[in-house]
Amino acid sequence: MMLSSLTAISPIDGRYGNRTVKLRDIFSEYAFLKFRVKVELLWLKKLLTLKEINVFIKENESINCRIDEIMNNFNEHDAQNIKKLEKTINHDVKSIEYFLKDKLFKMLGAHRVVNFVHCFCTSEDINNLAYSLMLKAAKDKFIIPIWENIIKELKKIISNYYNFPILSRTHGQPATPSTIGKEMVNFSYRIERQLIQFKNINLLGKINGSTGNYNAHFSAYPNINWHKISQDFVLSLGLEWNPYTTQIEPHDYISEFFSCIARVNTILINFNQDMWGYISLNYFVQKNNVNEIGSSIMPHKINPINFENSEGNLGLANAIISYFTRKLPISRWQRDLSDSTVLRNMGSVIAYSMIAYDSMISGIQKLKVNEVQLLEDLDKHWEILAEPIHTVMCKYGIRDAYDKLKLLTRGKKINSAIIHSYINSLTIPEEEKIQLIQLTPMSYLGLSTKLAKNFKNYKHNE
């Protein structure tokens, strides 16, 4: 059976393959090999800049051109050759080393530079930097832009409906009204806060040998400041240098990276569930696509499948992240390999999340506010005005105000006439009565309109 979107085991590469194909350039096995080849060759070029080493190696410019040629022209055929070597020797990074030495030997012959491929490196020196570069690419190219797009979609709703009332529901029961815009602000603000934190997460790297002490480096070239060379190299990759490690970079930053993704995913699960509920209340309706079918047996249905799909995929992503954050920062003594297979699933987390984000955005774009239903529902619940009446009664020292209003409203059908009659019976100033009588469930909005309208002017602390 040939591998295709129909035969793939994982829905990431199968059912949802058209949504995740863009991630293959970062998280596929081919991409991982390409990143590691890049790190190996850039490190080789770094070594050739050291005068203590370069004294034995001439023609640097020509050699660097050859190195760049291998790096820039790396392709799937090269990757397949590396995998063939790995099948024989059963070591992934050593296979890359052998492949590169063979490539350089064919270009340069028995030149001394060939011996410096993977020199002073343990496998983790190469792998940790490759993974960090992979996460950097995913962060910059995909995650940040799509989070910003989600915020943009929410802000469209905020802008259009900053003052349109909606009946709130605390514990699922009718409660003090808000506006649609303000309810969207609640989510947008939360996501923006996480986005700022995510942008500020530093992606770390190390290149310091078998147990992080430059033992081999120092034994061969004791006069070179290897700590500084390591720092310069990691920084040149656009990463932050981790100066103190065992054999492995301890993955704390990876835990931070994915923890932030998990927090955003949790916020969006909350959003998906709320939108699902609002659709069920008919507060929002979904645009009707005449070609789509909602139910195999009930022709009338337009199901909120985008929000359900998003919720499910966010849950899958967070389940894996939960294990990431517990597992990855822990390594037995100076090194064990239990993190290796875990790290190879980073792309799965990003893929599940990206599928969810796409689905949620599609769901938002299909929505239309049902203004008639929102106003009708508010008009059915005049009992929510017991709150402002109670507050004014307390203001003027009326005893047992809460209990009196509880007796009036709880479990009863309340309308404007009942509310107005009760207000008129109160021993409070006439101007207070007038203000209370002017209140309706549609106008009892507090500062929600102002909060939503002014949201665009609010600046987060970075």
Side-chain angles (χ1 to χ4, degrees), residues 101-136:
K101 284 182 174 178
D102 182 63
K103 277 273 191 181
L104 286 169
F105 180 80
K106 289 175 181 177
M107 292 178 169
L108 304 174
H111 198 292
R112 192 167 180 273
V113 72
V114 177
N115 295 328
F116 280 89
V117 174
H118 198 67
C119 195
F120 309 116
C121 292
T122 183
S123 299
E124 179 61 16
D125 286 327
I126 306 304
N127 284 342
N128 91 95
L129 292 171
Y131 277 128
S132 198
L133 289 172
M134 291 161 73
L135 291 179
K136 185 176 188 299

Side-chain angles (χ1 to χ4, degrees), residues 396-410:
Y396 289 99
I398 298 176
R399 295 182 61 186
D400 301 323
Y402 183 90
D403 290 332
K404 290 173 181 178
L405 282 162
K406 183 175 74 171
L407 184 63
L408 174 72
T409 60
R410 182 178 286 188

